[in-house]
Amino acid sequence: MKKYNLSNIMKRAWDLVKKAGMTISAGLKKAWKEAKKMEETLREDVIVELNNLIKNAAEVFNYEISERVWEKYGKSRTYFKIIETRKNSRHYVEYDFGYIDNKKDSYVPGKMDAFGKYDLAGAVRR
């Protein structure tokens, strides 16, 4: 079960009531919608960056994005990897791109950073 920062949602709802003249019900509905959308956009941003890395990588290899949700010990994370393989070969490399902390809505880079300045080959991105 995903957890949201209820305090921030309630504060956003009251801001909408005071500034936009909404009812508290309408303000809460809009604040919840924004909170859920924000969570999805971070995940989509990471996937877009990983697809950009794959698009600019060498065409000799096959690439696959791996996304895994992990929930234990009161933590919830979504881990990202790019798996590099080659046809008719034993070539297999996993690039660790860290995770999204689903409770704090933040990206934590791994050995490689999806938003960093280097591509899969280690060259500076343009």
Side-chain angles (χ1 to χ4, degrees):
M1 179 177 178
K2 296 180 183 179
K3 297 201 176 185
Y4 297 94
N5 189 333
L6 301 179
S7 176
N8 287 346
I9 292 171
M10 187 58 88
K11 287 176 185 176
R12 175 67 179 140
W14 276 111
D15 283 345
L16 291 170
V17 168
K18 292 175 186 174
K19 294 177 183 174
M22 296 177 136
T23 64
I24 188 64
S25 175
L28 277 169
K29 286 177 185 176
K30 184 168 174 98
W32 271 105
K33 188 182 280 188
E34 289 174 359
K36 290 177 182 176
K37 186 176 181 181
M38 185 176 76
E39 180 179 292
E40 285 299 316
T41 57
L42 180 58
R43 179 186 161 278
E44 290 170 1
D45 289 345
V46 171
I47 290 177
V48 165
E49 286 300 318
L50 294 179
N51 279 324
N52 287 338
L53 285 170
I54 290 172
K55 186 175 72 174
N56 296 328
E59 294 181 14
V60 183
F61 301 109
N62 300 320
Y63 295 99
E64 178 185 336
I65 296 174
S66 170
E67 177 182 357
R68 184 175 51 93
V69 177
W70 177 84
E71 292 179 345
K72 282 189 181 175
Y73 312 113
K75 297 177 183 176
S76 176
R77 297 176 178 168
T78 304
Y79 286 87
F80 295 95
K81 289 184 180 182
I82 290 181
I83 299 169
E84 178 182 86
T85 58
R86 191 172 186 172
K87 285 186 179 180
N88 303 325
S89 174
R90 292 185 181 177
H91 180 79
Y92 181 89
V93 178
E94 288 185 355
Y95 296 102
D96 177 24
F97 282 92
Y99 62 90
I100 292 176
D101 190 330
N102 296 326
K103 293 190 175 189
K104 296 180 182 176
D105 293 325
S106 61
Y107 173 71
V108 179
K111 290 182 180 177
M112 297 185 77
D113 187 0
F115 302 101
K117 63 179 185 175
Y118 298 105
D119 63 7
L120 293 176
V124 177
R125 290 169 81 175
R126 295 179 192 161

